[in-house]
Amino acid sequence: MSKLRLGVNIDHVATVRNARGEGYPDPVRAAEMALAAGADGITAHLREDRRHISDADIDALAVTCRRRGRPLNFEMAVTPEMEAIALAHRPHAACLVPERREEVTTEGGLDVVKGHNTIAPVVQKLVDAGIRVSCFIDPALGQVAASKSVGAQVVELHTGAYCQAVRERSPDAGRLLQNLKAAATEAARLGLEVHAGHGIDYETVKPIAAIPEVMELNIGHFLIGEAIFIGLGPAIQRMRALMDEARAVKAA
């Protein structure tokens, strides 16, 4: 199996900064540190309400990632405003996500089945601009098929329900992991690259990393929180080590 990539989401460095309305801590500095610690790319979600990442952050992150030769994964709602920003910056990748102003964090996957006619033209414009498009979806076979239908090259499977079940010691955890595996298998069969993310921590990363079709994990909130205690570099390095261990065991 190929090495599993790690994308680090630096949104919540901006959350801390914005809590005081100051310029510190700087998400761009966090991105630099993450790449130095072994991250393969940077993920940032520019929300409609700009609650964490700002337009200026995206400007600076695009420059930083290009200079370092690493991908910027731009998480975005399917809106004309975000489409225009993506087309202006042309990041390596754009991950289409659902967004509600009142939510604390992303609560589920994008409903590509229901939103097909709205999503497909946006995907086409982004792809035509040379941007690799991902749909952030719940691990449901219908959503996988719809993502292929709208022209996405990648699906990112929402791992939040599984991770929450593990933390709560719920008997549903096994079933939810099987759903992730089935969705990953079907996506790969359809020729889609498979990513996964949301809610992943040190306890939950290995079973997800061991899914052979998954090529990339995007992890943010837990790593930024853990960085408070042990530093961002060590937090990322430990996550990277756990990912590599899971991959090595599966390969063996």
Side-chain angles (χ1 to χ4, degrees):
M1 283 189 293
S2 59
K3 181 180 178 181
L4 182 60
R5 300 189 301 269
L6 172 62
V8 173
N9 186 314
I10 45 79
D11 289 352
H12 296 297
V13 177
T15 300
V16 175
R17 175 195 63 192
N18 296 354
R20 286 283 297 268
E22 302 284 353
Y24 184 89
D26 179 9
V28 179
R29 183 181 177 192
E32 291 273 16
M33 293 180 68
L35 294 173
D40 298 290
I42 298 299
T43 294
H45 182 182
L46 183 66
R47 281 182 170 266
E48 178 190 17
D49 61 10
R50 308 304 198 266
R51 68 176 62 168
H52 37 59
I53 293 295
S54 69
D55 296 72
D57 293 330
I58 294 297
D59 293 343
L61 287 167
V63 171
T64 296
C65 288
R66 284 197 184 97
R67 177 171 50 81
R68 294 289 301 266
R70 301 293 183 86
L72 172 63
N73 179 30
F74 179 60
E75 290 187 342
M76 56 176 277
V78 185
T79 66
E81 179 192 22
M82 293 304 156
E83 177 189 312
I85 291 170
L87 292 174
H89 286 290
R90 301 198 179 200
H92 170 79
C95 183
L96 307 183
V97 301
E99 188 174 308
R100 294 190 307 119
R101 187 179 286 268
E102 63 270 24
E103 69 188 0
V104 175
T105 186
T106 304
E107 295 174 341
L110 184 68
D111 191 341
V112 188
V113 173
K114 186 178 292 185
H116 183 284
N117 292 343
T118 300
I119 295 167
V122 174
V123 172
Q124 188 62 57
K125 290 178 186 176
L126 297 174
V127 170
D128 288 347
I131 300 168
R132 191 164 172 79
V133 179
S134 172
C135 290
F136 182 73
I137 59 171
D138 290 327
L141 301 187
Q143 296 296 342
V144 173
S147 299
K148 177 69 174 180
S149 178
V150 299
Q153 299 116 312
V154 182
V155 289
E156 181 167 336
L157 302 178
H158 186 299
T159 54
Y162 165 69
C163 293
Q164 188 64 30
V166 170
R167 284 191 285 274
E168 293 176 351
R169 302 296 185 261
S170 168
D172 290 334
R175 173 182 60 81
L176 293 168
L177 181 60
Q178 289 305 313
N179 289 348
L180 289 166
K181 291 178 178 179
T185 298
E186 177 63 7
R189 187 187 72 81
L190 293 175
L192 295 164
E193 184 170 305
V194 184
H195 299 175
H198 201 83
I200 298 172
D201 58 16
Y202 293 149
E203 183 178 13
T204 55
V205 67
K206 279 191 167 183
I208 298 168
I211 299 172
E213 295 86 1
V214 174
M215 304 300 293
E216 179 176 305
L217 300 182
N218 284 296
I219 307 174
H221 183 264
F222 175 78
L223 289 173
I224 302 308
E226 189 69 4
I228 294 171
F229 303 105
I230 66 172
L232 184 58
I236 290 170
Q237 288 162 0
R238 184 178 176 198
M239 186 66 78
R240 172 81 267 167
L242 291 170
M243 290 165 59
D244 291 345
E245 286 171 16
R247 214 65 165 184
V249 168
K250 186 67 178 180

Short mmCIF file of all heavy atoms in Angstrom, two decimals, residues 8 10 23 29 54 82 87-88 122 144 211 250-251:
data_model
loop_
_atom_site.label_atom_id
_atom_site.label_comp_id
_atom_site.label_asym_id
_atom_site.label_seq_id
_atom_site.Cartn_x
_atom_site.Cartn_y
_atom_site.Cartn_z
N VAL A 8 -3.25 18.66 7.41
CA VAL A 8 -3.53 19.28 8.71
C VAL A 8 -4.40 20.51 8.51
O VAL A 8 -4.04 21.43 7.76
CB VAL A 8 -2.23 19.64 9.45
CG1 VAL A 8 -2.53 20.44 10.73
CG2 VAL A 8 -1.45 18.38 9.80
N ILE A 10 -5.82 23.87 9.80
CA ILE A 10 -5.36 24.88 10.75
C ILE A 10 -6.44 25.91 11.10
O ILE A 10 -6.15 26.96 11.66
CB ILE A 10 -4.06 25.57 10.25
CG1 ILE A 10 -4.13 25.97 8.75
CG2 ILE A 10 -2.87 24.63 10.42
CD1 ILE A 10 -4.89 27.21 8.51
N GLY A 23 -3.77 39.54 16.12
CA GLY A 23 -3.11 38.92 14.97
C GLY A 23 -2.37 37.66 15.33
O GLY A 23 -1.65 37.11 14.49
N ARG A 29 1.78 30.67 10.19
CA ARG A 29 2.91 30.11 10.94
C ARG A 29 2.62 28.67 11.34
O ARG A 29 3.51 27.80 11.28
CB ARG A 29 3.17 30.96 12.19
CG ARG A 29 4.38 30.49 12.99
CD ARG A 29 4.58 31.36 14.22
NE ARG A 29 5.69 30.86 15.04
CZ ARG A 29 5.95 31.27 16.28
NH1 ARG A 29 5.19 32.21 16.83
NH2 ARG A 29 6.95 30.76 16.95
N SER A 54 -9.79 33.66 7.53
CA SER A 54 -10.19 34.88 6.84
C SER A 54 -9.72 34.85 5.39
O SER A 54 -8.91 34.00 5.00
CB SER A 54 -9.56 36.09 7.54
OG SER A 54 -8.15 36.10 7.34
N MET A 82 -17.88 31.48 -2.72
CA MET A 82 -16.76 30.57 -2.52
C MET A 82 -16.21 30.06 -3.85
O MET A 82 -15.00 29.86 -3.99
CB MET A 82 -17.17 29.41 -1.61
CG MET A 82 -17.46 29.84 -0.20
SD MET A 82 -16.05 30.72 0.54
CE MET A 82 -16.88 31.70 1.79
N LEU A 87 -11.73 30.01 -7.64
CA LEU A 87 -11.24 30.24 -9.01
C LEU A 87 -10.17 31.32 -9.04
O LEU A 87 -9.26 31.28 -9.88
CB LEU A 87 -12.41 30.62 -9.92
CG LEU A 87 -13.42 29.50 -10.19
CD1 LEU A 87 -14.61 30.03 -10.96
CD2 LEU A 87 -12.77 28.33 -10.92
N ALA A 88 -10.23 32.27 -8.12
CA ALA A 88 -9.21 33.32 -8.06
C ALA A 88 -7.88 32.77 -7.55
O ALA A 88 -6.81 33.16 -8.04
CB ALA A 88 -9.69 34.47 -7.16
N VAL A 122 -20.75 23.61 -10.51
CA VAL A 122 -19.64 24.16 -9.72
C VAL A 122 -18.42 23.25 -9.85
O VAL A 122 -17.29 23.73 -10.07
CB VAL A 122 -20.04 24.32 -8.24
CG1 VAL A 122 -18.85 24.77 -7.40
CG2 VAL A 122 -21.19 25.32 -8.11
N VAL A 144 -21.70 8.24 -2.63
CA VAL A 144 -20.49 7.93 -3.41
C VAL A 144 -20.81 7.98 -4.90
O VAL A 144 -20.10 8.61 -5.69
CB VAL A 144 -19.93 6.55 -3.02
CG1 VAL A 144 -18.79 6.16 -3.95
CG2 VAL A 144 -19.44 6.54 -1.56
N ILE A 211 -7.78 1.25 6.48
CA ILE A 211 -8.64 1.00 5.32
C ILE A 211 -7.79 1.22 4.07
O ILE A 211 -7.32 2.33 3.81
CB ILE A 211 -9.86 1.94 5.33
CG1 ILE A 211 -10.71 1.71 6.58
CG2 ILE A 211 -10.70 1.74 4.07
CD1 ILE A 211 -11.84 2.72 6.77
N LYS A 250 -1.43 -3.40 8.33
CA LYS A 250 -2.34 -3.84 7.30
C LYS A 250 -1.59 -4.47 6.13
O LYS A 250 -1.98 -5.50 5.58
CB LYS A 250 -3.18 -2.65 6.79
CG LYS A 250 -4.27 -3.02 5.79
CD LYS A 250 -5.34 -3.85 6.46
CE LYS A 250 -6.44 -4.20 5.48
NZ LYS A 250 -7.51 -5.01 6.10
N ALA A 251 -0.46 -3.84 5.77
CA ALA A 251 0.33 -4.36 4.66
C ALA A 251 0.92 -5.73 4.98
O ALA A 251 1.02 -6.61 4.12
CB ALA A 251 1.45 -3.37 4.33
#
